[in-house]
Every structure is written in C-alpha cells, then in structure tokens.
C-alpha cells in the first residue's frame, strides 16, 4: 500500500541524490533539439519512467514551427600553430548553441564577429544561442580573447541542422482524481547547473517520491525545451488543458539565494496561496513577485488564451545573479543544501494542495457538543484554551462551503497541518462532510 | 409621550445604579440552572419587566440536551478539629460549580484531587465548573491549601442534580418596526463582578432606559446561561431569527481597561460599523478585533448556520486580565466610572442604529438652491464655508440610495449627530425622502 | 491634413500667450451675467470660435432661475472734499459684485455696513458678491478703511439689475467619435488672475491647439458663470449628457503651488486614472484629493443625478492660498511658467485619453513568434531584455479585452507612450485587433 503524503522524507539524502544526478547530466551538450536532450532523458528515465515524445521538424505549433534538429560532434578554434585554443569537447558552452557547420580559415577580424565573451567577468565563458537565425560562433573567456594575436585561425564546427525531431519527456502519475498538477522544467540548457540542471533534478526526485504515495491529484511532469517545448506541448494537449488545476515551473532551485515565488497571471489562484503560505511559514527570508510576461515557460502557460494557474518557485530570479548563463553557474554555485531546501518547500506546497479540501459543517446551527464526543476538556472556567480546541472551533465555524482548509489556516493563524488533522477528526465524528468541487 | 433618543442621560447616576445592582446580586450562587438564577432574575425583574422561561431538563436543543437542574444548600470542608476551613456559605466560588452531593471523610491525598487553587496568585480563589461531567470539588486559595496538614478531612456538599429546568429571562421592548436589536448577556456566573454582573447590570439599565424612549427598532434583551442558554434560546426562536438586524453580546464592561470591540463574523455589518464609529470618535483608546470562534455567546449567534450580525463590546477581553474567573474579579476591580463609560458607549451605538437611515435626494440633478430656503449665507466669495453648509452638501450629494447617514458621516468626516440633524432639516424642506429598506 | 496628438508643442510660447491673454482680460469687470462677460467672450472668440448662448432672465433651470442681468458703468465713494477715495473705474474688485444702484450721502456708520475689508491682510482688497440677495457695497483695503474719518460720504453705484440674459460661450471640436470630453471653466470673476483668468486662458489655448489635431474624441469647451452657469448648461443639454465620457473643470492653474487633482465622484473613472498617471510620472510633487461636494462646477457635474466622470486639475486648491479672492491674486502670483506647466499636464492627460484603447491579442494561445516578424533579437541567452521587448510582451499578454493601454502601462511600469507605440506596431503586424467599446 502506498504511503500518505503526511510522512516525512530524508532531506539530506535527497539533496545529495539531486546533486549526484546533476553531475551526471552536466557534461552533456543539450539544446532545444538533438541527441543531447535524448541522452539526458534516457538518464532521467532510470529514476522516473518517462514517455519520450518526438515531434518532427516543420510541425506547426500555434504561431510557431518545430525547428530543424541540431546535432554537434565537434567544434574548435585552432591557432596558426595548429593548437586547439577553444575546444567544445572540453566544455559544451564553447559553441554558440545551434551553430551551423563551418570549417575554414578566417582572419582574426572576421572571427571576432563570431566570438562571444564577457568583458565584465573576464574569466567566465558566456552561454549564447542562435535558435531561429542561422549563424555560427564560439563562446570563450574574455582573457582568452585578449591573448589571440594570430592573423588567421582555423575554425571547425562539425554540426548538422537537418529535419529531425523535437524531443521531450513526460511522466504521468495517476491519482484518485483526473484533475492534474503540472510540473514543468526546461531541459534544453547545456552545462549550466542552476539553470536548469537544478530544476530537472528536483523535478525528477519529486516525481520519484510522488510515485510512492497515495495521491489525490494526478501529476503531469514534463521535461521540455524552453519556449518551443511548452508551445509544442500546449499545442498537442490543448483539449486536456482544462484538467490542469495547479502548476509550477521549476527552475533555478539550487543557488544560495532566498526562495522567490512568481505568482501566476491569475495572481490569487490556489497555487499562489499555497506557495505563499509555505514561504511565509518557512521561517526563512523569501520574496513574492507578481506575474510578468518574461521568464520561463510560464510565459506560455499564462498567455491570455490559456491563463493557467501556473506559478514559478525558484531561488534567485533568472538574470539577477551574475553567474546566470555563464560558466560560473557551476557546482561551486549550486549546492546540495539549497537543492534540499527547495525540495522540501515543493513537498510542503504539494502537501497543501493534496489536503486543501472544503467541508460543510453537518451541524451548522450553534456549536456541536464537543464534550460528549471527547473533544473538550471537562473542567471549565480556565482562561487558557488549548490550541487543538481553537483549531476545532475554527474549522467548525468556517466550514460553510466558502473556506478551504488553507483559508481557515490563514484566517486563524493556526498551522495548516494542525487544521488538517482536526478536520480529519471532525470528519470521523461525522461533524464535517467533504464538499465536492 | 416617550422621549426621543437624542436626549441625554445622567451618566454618574446610572454608574452608581449599576454598581448598586451588582452588589445586590453578588452573594448569590448562580449556575447554568437552579435557584440562584431564578433569584437573580427576580431581582432584575424589579427594574425591567421580564418574561421567565423554564425549559425542562432533557429537552433537545440542536446537538445539545438541557442538563439536570443543580441546586446547592451548603458545602464545607472540616478539619480534624471539626472547624470549617472552607465554607460555601461565606463565598459562592468555594464550591466546584455543578458539584454532585458528597458527605464523607477523606484523606488529604484523596481530597487534593478535588481541590482547585491558583499557585501563581496564592491569595485568590479560582472559579471552576464541571457542567457536563459529574464531579465534586472545592476552590480555595493556594495559601490555604499549603496550611492543610491533617490526615483526614470531612467534606460535605449538600447539593442536588435532578430533573428540573433551565431558566432564562427575556424582555421585549416594542418599537415602530418589527426588526429587532438583540442584547444578550450571560447570567450564570456566581460571585464574579466583571464577568458578568457588569454585563447583567448594564443591560438591565439599558433596557430600563430604552423603555422610556420612542424607538424605531424593537429590542430583545435576554439573560441566559452561557453557551447552553444561547443554544436553547436559538433553538426555541429559530423561526424569528431573521428579525434580528443587529446584536451585541454584553460582558466584562466594568473593568479599568480600554473598550474593545470584537466584530461579528460578517465583519462589516452595520453593527460593526456603528460600534467602530463610536469608539473611533470617543476620544479614548480602544481596540477592534476580528471575530474568532471562542468567547461568549457570539460563538452560537455567529455559528455558520445563523451568522447573525452580532458583535461584542466589552473592555478588557476575557482571559486577558489575571483577575478573570477568580475571587479578584470583585468590587476593587469593577468601578462605577467604567460601567458608566461603557453604558454611554452602548447608548451612542444604539443612537446610531436608531437614526442610521437612507434617503434619496428629491432634487438629484445639480444642487438645489439652498439660498432661497434660508440654508446658505448671502455674501459669497469668502474662503471658509461653515461646517453645517458642508454637512448639507455632503448629505445631498451622497443621498443616492447607496449611502446611509453613517456612511456619509464616515466619508465626510463630519460628526454623525450633525449629519443626522442636517438630514432632518433637509427632510423638512422636502429635499430628502426617506428610503424604505 | 491635421497633426496627430503625439507631436509636441512649444511650452514656453504657449505660457507667454496665455499670460498675454490674461492681461487683456484682467481689467474687465465680469460677473455671472452682463456686458463684462460678453466683452470677454468676444476677446476669446478671436482665438477660438465660440457659439454665444443667451438665456433670458427668469428661465427655470432645475431648482434655480436665471437671475436678472447685472451691468455696471461706474461706482465710487467720495469724501467730504469731493475726492473719489474708492473708484471702480480704477479696479473692478472695488464694487460688491451684483450691487444694486445707489446714489446718496451716507454717514460713516451706515457706510461701514456696506464696506468689505481684510483686516488680516490690510493692503489687500477682497472680492465679494451678492448674487441672490439684493444689496450694495464696496470692497477696499483695510488700511484705507482705517483712514476714513469723515462724518459723511457720497456713494454712487451706477449699475442696473434688470431682465436680460445669462451669457455663455461654447466651442465644439468634432472628432472621429461622437463621444465627448468636456472642458469647463468659470468665466464670471472680475480682476482675479488665478481664479480664474488662468483657467479661461488655458482652456482657450488648449482648444486652439486641439483644433489643429486629428482627434478621436469630440471636445466640448464651455466658458460659463460658476454654479448658475453649469446648472443652466446641464439643464439645456440634459439629453446629450450621456455623450460625455470624460471631463475636467479647469481653474487655478497659474499659481506656484504643486499640481492637485480632485477626483470625480466616481473616484476611479478613466479620467481619474489618466490624470493620476500623468501626475505620478511628472517627476514633480503633486497631490490627489478625493471628491467633496464643495469647490467649482464639479459640484453640479457630480451631483447624484448626473454623476459625470469629471474631475478638477488645478494647482493650489481654492481657498488654501491667502491671495484667493483678493486683489493679491494678480500677475505677481500667476506666472507664465506655471501656466505652461499646467498646460503640458493637460495635454498629457488628453493624449492618454485619445490613445487609451483596448485591444485583443489575435494569437492568444502562447506567444506569437516575434522573431520571424523582426520584433525579437537574434542572439539569445543574454540576461538583459530591452525595454521595447518587455513592452511587446506586456501588451500581448494583457490584451485580453480586460485591460486598456493605460492599465497595461500601470501594471508594467512602462511609460504610456512606449506602450502605445508598441501597440501600434503590433496592430500593424496584425497581432492586435482594436476592440470597440
């Protein structure tokens, strides 16, 4: 028999496990299509059974078209002595992602138009892409660029950009209800830890854990390329979208910054209330920001034609840490303890969603007599009332069909878990009846 | 002819009268049933004509059952020398309220399981009850307990717990309208001044005063045992509950603390706005707290099946002063000046309810010409406008059916009494027409 | 072809022009009726084509009656030496506005009942009126009063108060739509600069400028006597009032104080949002005050029977500067730079109203592919997104029929002009479709 959601997990172990999985995925050069994604999904599949979907290049998905498939085998710059001074095989960020094939000698001046560096962080290598405009290029440290004095260099990018597929992975965990919780992460970035091996890894272990539980909701977990992936997924699943009752985009969950929640476009959806409740009660600093139409795949889920209740729970927002989209987004920056802290917050949020039901008080006129049911202390007159009695009274008073258990927790200031426990007892005593949605 | 509500009363006198009535009621041992309540209601009946209701033990009232009637004639503990060291006849708190009869010799150890003291206030005697579980016991000061060294004591509680009645008193004061204002106080506590001889006494004199007035609303005043009394009353009056348009639970109105208002469950009912207006304009510190499902009989009136617009206007909230439910809740703690201050706030609240009507401007397009009706100064161009003219303009501008006089007072910042006076003048000039609800 | 609203104007020049027009109007003795108003409207007519309306005395306008027409040719006080010590011909404020004719010798005591001074500002001459009660009088400085020691004086007011007309000027500027913006100013005050030659002058040049533009809304500009003028105008235009979608009462726009906006009675009408947006983004101090039923003609426009979306954008509120309604409201107090600042704020407000449309995203499911339309940068992965891209995304995301461009500007924090420009581009690319109201 599966476990209930209330049971706890070993956070230290899960932090280490996530970190380990990230290490395995790190060297692979992923992109929005191609073998790197496929290889990564195969690794994830060992932890979580995935359905792999392949969508042919050229498929129309809303206003977009699935692009050609990009694969790369090798890429380097050789100096006049024939030495490889930039070598993709050593580090996947070195190539402009989606570079078309090239093999020729070029002058330094011409080459410079194809080189990307970060002058403000001269030791770091940037991550750059050119998905929708054909181009080629290399990314390297600015210090390295300053040392390049040869007149001519040999450049080689052994890539292909051809009709093929866009690949994504999907895991469906069936719960009691057909209503779904969507967990979405982009799995298209190459060797970048926080963005988004951290998200990929957290979602994998979240799915693994959910699979062991007896669940109310069904969970749909998707590993997709950013933007084109969520557009493709929404396009192919349009008829079932109304099943999604709550969702989170998972990214940037391993850095040392505080937890940040970006609200859904709806702004006060149940997922918004649940995450805010968890962060408010976490005892740690946090930040809540309103929806804006820039970021990750929430841009698509929250487009006006869908307007899904999907928020994003990350740590430092993308673009607000200097390591973002550079070689410094590595294993010095992302650490197991931050992964583990994020993981436990996701668990707390899902626990609320699973248990956040509405009840109707079966005895709404005056209080029921709690004493005869063993729910009230016998000696009266004291000035203190214990917390469980207050929880009982709050749940009874607000179970009028208008308030969920989370609403009651917020209104009373009493911990959600205690409110939930008390509701269970009252339901056993037939003083509450669960309401269908 | 009866007086209008606007006339003032002698606050000093009413404070002394309330204090005097409390002194008369203080020695009587009241409980949720029994002769003490009957005797007390008979005393109140000399000030305010009451209908006495008797509900037999065993009557089902919603989820509850009217308990057996408890009566007590004597109770004491005698030491080995035969001296009464605890004597109920000297002070009603000495017996655990609702104790079953007992007469026997007991060892000190056994006795201690039936003794209640307050170690943190060693000179005070606590008030304790055991309404719904049969038990016996004594309350005494902790110092007295420490002096008890005999091996054996004689205990006697000459009480009876038998089928009888639950008794409550009700006074109905008829106004122009069938709509009612409910004033409810619990009258079940023995020798405790603030909780709730203060409330009993204030409501009595409020009723006495209301009886002399020409009233818009009908008033229903009830003196009931806490919890079981309001449940019984609601159960017997269920079909007429919709007549209650406003209500207040009256308790703890004589202590030196500031006035506190606990909102109805609705939160922004007219009674809530009226009390908040009075406290805000009282020039004295005050506090407003939201509804919570613990406290006095508002727990029943505001249960989700009734959800009546009933708030509580007290001074220091119950349980938040150390004297609460102890022998120290006495005539050192409750004083006439605080009773009188509470009384005048209740009067102010009722005055607002009585006068808080809605009007429609009979001349809604542009301002009416006030000058030709003698309502505007003749020389124009000055920079100041007197307050009555502003009140005239506000009442005319907001008398659109959406705003009551209290709304207009709040919106304009002009005193309710002035707004009401101005509305009367405008009604005389046929510039306003009263709206029916 | 007429210019679009986006083009800029020469603020310095318009400030000087307004100041010049005020100088021309200053000496004329205006009142709520009479030749002074007619003469003033004729001067305005040189800048802005006006329709002059004449409404006969005695005409019923709602609860009011159009008064007799007042004209004045001369007025003075002569001392015993026959010297004119107060001379209306030198300064129009010297006569109590609407004084009935008088010519006689009076004792100083009798005279004093007809003299108005400002003891707290002994050098200033007050402005006083007696429109609706027949009276006569003179206004003078308090210092001058103190020097009056003769026993007898000769007073002469060569005025007439006879059946005639109330005169007002109206200018209608036709736009694409029949919906109207109302700009209303009172033109009844004599030699007072801020109140309200500043408003008269600003509205004149605003109308002159609007006439050169290609407009969405039609504009109705009225120069009316205060109170009786707006009542008369509303009475005569009652059937067309529903065309007024936005309006501003224009007064006191030339003093050195900060801009103040008094909201319409509705409080959150589009005009309220537009003005608040302009002031908030002006980079200068400002104040927003709620509607109150005292002030200028908004009292009538916002009476409950009309409740029009009409606010007032002035500088220091009337009555809150000591110069108000005195001879010190002159050309030292009102300066071209303040007039010009007010003018540009009015222009900004109207520019928002003209452009504040609603659109529907023609591609609401996921984002449209901006890159293939040349609206997105080609190299991805950078952490900054330029402001125009953010504006594109905001407009697309919120163009769901619920949000106007002003709403989108407020929500995104992006300048209204940029939002409007981006909406134009998206409309050209057929990604937005304008919604009809």
């Amino acid at each position: 028999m599966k476990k209930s959601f209330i049971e706890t997990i070993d956070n230290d172990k899960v932090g280490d496990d996530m970190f380990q999985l990230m290490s395995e995925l790190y060297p692979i050069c992923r992109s929005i299509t191609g073998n790197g994604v496929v290889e990564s999904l195969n690794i994830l599949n060992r932890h979580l059974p995935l359905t792999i979907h392949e969508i042919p290049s050229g498929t129309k998905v809303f206003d977009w078209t699935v692009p050609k498939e990009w694969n790369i085998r090798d890429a380097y710059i050789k100096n006049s002595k024939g030495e490889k001074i930039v070598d993709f095989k050593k580090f996947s960020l070195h190539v402009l992602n989606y570079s078309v094939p090239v093999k020729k000698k070029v002058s330094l001046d011409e080459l410079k138009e194809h080189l990307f560096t970060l002058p403000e962080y001269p030791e770091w290598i940037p991550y750059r892409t050119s998905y929708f405009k054909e181009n080629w290029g290399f990314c390297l440290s600015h210090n390295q660029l300053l040392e390049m004095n040869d007149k001519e260099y040999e450049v080689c990018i052994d890539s292909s950009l051809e009709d093929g597929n866009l690949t994504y992975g999907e895991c469906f965990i069936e719960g009691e209800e057909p209503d779904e919780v969507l967990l979405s992460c982009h799995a298209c970035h190459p060797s970048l830890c926080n963005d988004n091996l951290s998200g990929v890894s957290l979602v994998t272990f979240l799915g693994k854990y959910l699979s062991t539980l007896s669940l109310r909701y069904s969970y749909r977990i998707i590993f997709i390329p950013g933007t084109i992936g969520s557009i493709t997924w929404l396009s192919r699943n349009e008829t079932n979208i109304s099943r999604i009752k709550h969702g989170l985009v998972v990214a940037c969950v391993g850095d040392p910054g505080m937890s940040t929640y970006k609200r859904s476009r709806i702004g006060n959806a149940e997922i918004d209330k649940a995450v805010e409740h968890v962060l408010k009660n976490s005892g740690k600093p946090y930040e809540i920001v309103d929806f804006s139409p820039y970021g990750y795949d929430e841009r698509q889920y929250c487009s006006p034609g869908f307007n899904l209740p999907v928020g994003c729970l990350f740590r430092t927002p993308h673009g607000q840490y200097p390591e973002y989209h550079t070689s410094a987004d590595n294993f010095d920056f992302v650490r197991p303890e931050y992964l583990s802290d994020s993981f436990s917050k996701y668990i707390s949020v899902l626990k609320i969603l699973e248990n956040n039901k509405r009840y109707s008080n079966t005895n709404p006129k005056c209080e029921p007599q709690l004493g005869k049911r063993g729910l009230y202390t016998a000696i009266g007159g004291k000035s203190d009332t214990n917390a469980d009695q207050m929880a009982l009274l709050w749940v009874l008073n607000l179970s009028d069909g208008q308030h969920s258990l989370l609403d009651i927790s917020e209104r009373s200031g009493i911990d959600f878990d205690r409110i939930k426990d008390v509701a269970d007892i009252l339901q056993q005593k037939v003083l509450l009846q669960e309401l269908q949605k």
Side-chain angles (χ1 to χ4, degrees), chain A:
Chain A
M1 193 185 135
K2 289 185 170 185
K3 292 179 290 180
S4 110
F5 213 109
I6 294 298
E7 298 180 37
T8 55
I9 51 166
D10 180 342
N11 274 326
D12 282 353
K13 182 171 182 315
V14 86
D16 291 340
D17 287 348
M18 288 189 275
F19 197 75
Q20 173 58 37
L21 175 59
M22 284 174 59
S23 311
E24 200 174 347
L25 295 166
Y26 184 76
I28 302 167
C29 179
R30 279 162 296 274
S31 183
I32 56 173
T33 61
N35 295 332
V37 174
V38 177
E39 188 184 341
S40 301
L41 294 176
N42 287 339
I43 291 170
L44 301 182
N45 202 21
R46 299 203 313 258
H47 296 276
L48 191 66
L50 295 181
T51 306
I52 307 295
H53 297 268
E54 303 210 312
I55 319 300
S57 303
T59 305
K60 294 289 292 176
V61 287
F62 297 122
D63 190 51
W64 301 61
T65 305
V66 173
K68 289 181 178 166
E69 182 177 324
W70 183 66
N71 282 295
I72 181 160
R73 286 159 293 278
D74 199 3
Y76 56 80
I77 303 174
K78 280 190 182 162
N79 64 13
S80 55
K81 294 178 195 160
E83 297 162 343
K84 286 190 185 174
I85 59 166
V86 171
D87 186 354
F88 162 76
K89 286 190 172 170
K90 291 192 178 156
F91 193 43
S92 76
L93 294 194
H94 274 314
V95 74
L96 176 71
N97 208 291
Y98 252 65
S99 281
V100 294
V102 64
K103 186 171 174 68
K104 61 176 173 181
K105 298 209 170 179
V106 291
S107 69
L108 180 55
D109 278 355
E110 185 187 342
L111 179 55
K112 279 185 173 172
E113 290 176 20
H114 295 271
L115 296 183
F116 301 91
T117 68
L118 289 167
E120 63 272 45
Y121 294 99
E123 313 233 334
W124 297 358
I125 300 157
Y127 161 60
R128 294 286 179 269
T129 67
S130 187
Y131 298 140
F132 295 100
K133 184 178 179 190
E134 294 201 355
N135 195 0
W136 64 266
F138 291 90
C139 301
L140 64 165
S141 76
H142 200 65
N143 285 342
Q144 203 172 358
L145 175 63
L146 295 177
E147 286 167 13
M148 288 171 69
N149 298 316
D150 291 0
K151 284 202 171 154
E152 201 179 63
Y153 289 87
E154 183 189 337
V155 295
C156 167
I157 295 180
D158 178 12
S159 68
S160 59
L161 189 58
E162 294 165 352
D163 281 347
N165 290 298
L166 178 153
T167 312
Y168 67 83
E170 184 164 3
C171 169
F172 181 70
I173 303 168
E174 197 170 356
E176 272 172 57
E177 302 183 3
D179 288 348
E180 294 182 10
V181 177
L182 176 71
L183 297 167
S184 170
C185 64
H186 61 282
C188 53
H189 286 189
S191 309
L192 296 166
C193 281
N194 203 36
D195 181 16
N196 189 25
L197 291 178
S198 71
V200 167
S201 196
L202 187 146
V203 166
T204 302
F205 283 91
L206 207 51
K208 193 171 180 175
Y209 177 62
L210 289 170
S211 303
T212 66
L213 302 181
S214 167
L215 296 165
R216 169 190 182 190
Y217 285 109
S218 299
Y219 286 77
R220 194 168 296 276
I221 299 179
I222 58 180
F223 300 89
I224 50 173
T227 304
I228 187 65
S230 50
I231 292 169
T232 300
W233 186 85
L234 284 163
S235 166
R236 288 165 50 86
N237 292 278
E238 203 177 341
T239 53
N240 296 329
I241 290 299
S242 64
R243 287 189 198 149
I244 297 175
K245 301 306 178 196
H246 320 284
L248 288 171
V249 166
V250 189
C252 301
V253 291
D255 68 272
M258 65 182 168
S259 287
T260 303
Y261 179 63
K262 175 180 171 180
R263 291 188 177 112
S264 76
R265 184 178 184 271
I266 297 166
N268 64 347
E270 190 173 339
I271 184 67
D272 300 316
K273 293 181 189 170
V275 181
E276 293 183 36
H277 184 89
V278 166
L279 295 185
K280 198 171 64 181
N281 291 286
S282 68
K284 296 177 184 171
Y286 67 96
E287 196 169 7
I288 308 283
V289 297
D290 273 324
F291 176 77
S292 67
Y294 191 67
Y296 293 111
D297 290 306
E298 71 277 12
R299 291 163 64 163
Q300 313 310 326
Y301 303 128
C302 299
S303 58
F306 291 116
N307 200 25
L308 292 175
V310 173
C312 312
L313 176 53
F314 37 79
R315 298 183 78 86
T316 307
H318 71 92
Q320 297 188 16
Y321 49 95
E323 297 86 353
Y324 174 77
H325 281 193
T326 75
S327 56
D329 179 2
N330 59 22
F331 293 106
D332 292 331
F333 184 56
V334 168
R335 301 301 306 163
E337 57 267 36
Y338 310 131
L339 290 165
S340 154
D341 178 72
S342 295
F343 187 85
S344 73
K345 284 167 179 165
Y346 271 86
I347 289 288
S348 298
V349 170
L350 299 183
K351 203 158 79 175
I352 287 177
L353 295 179
E354 286 283 317
N355 291 295
N356 188 28
K357 299 181 176 174
R358 278 164 203 266
Y359 297 88
S360 108
N361 180 333
T362 58
N363 200 81
K365 291 182 176 172
C366 299
E367 295 169 5
Q369 193 179 355
L370 297 175
K372 71 183 182 190
R373 294 172 178 91
L375 300 173
Y376 218 73
T377 57
I379 297 295
K382 295 182 190 171
S383 61
D384 60 328
T385 300
N386 73 48
D388 280 334
Q389 282 189 24
M390 282 310 294
L392 283 166
L393 294 173
W394 274 112
V395 171
L396 286 168
N397 190 276
L398 292 182
S399 285
D400 55 2
Q402 306 302 308
H403 299 86
S404 71
L405 294 189
L406 180 56
D407 295 333
I408 298 174
S409 167
E410 286 282 336
R411 175 81 175 74
S412 66
I414 297 170
D415 189 61
F416 182 84
D417 286 348
R418 173 168 277 169
I419 292 288
K420 187 246 178 302
D421 289 347
V422 152
D424 285 346
I425 292 167
L426 289 171
Q427 196 178 12
Q428 284 162 26
K429 302 281 187 183
V430 202
L431 289 171
L432 287 189
Q433 189 171 3
E434 188 182 336
L435 290 170
Q436 299 312 309
K437 274 169 290 188

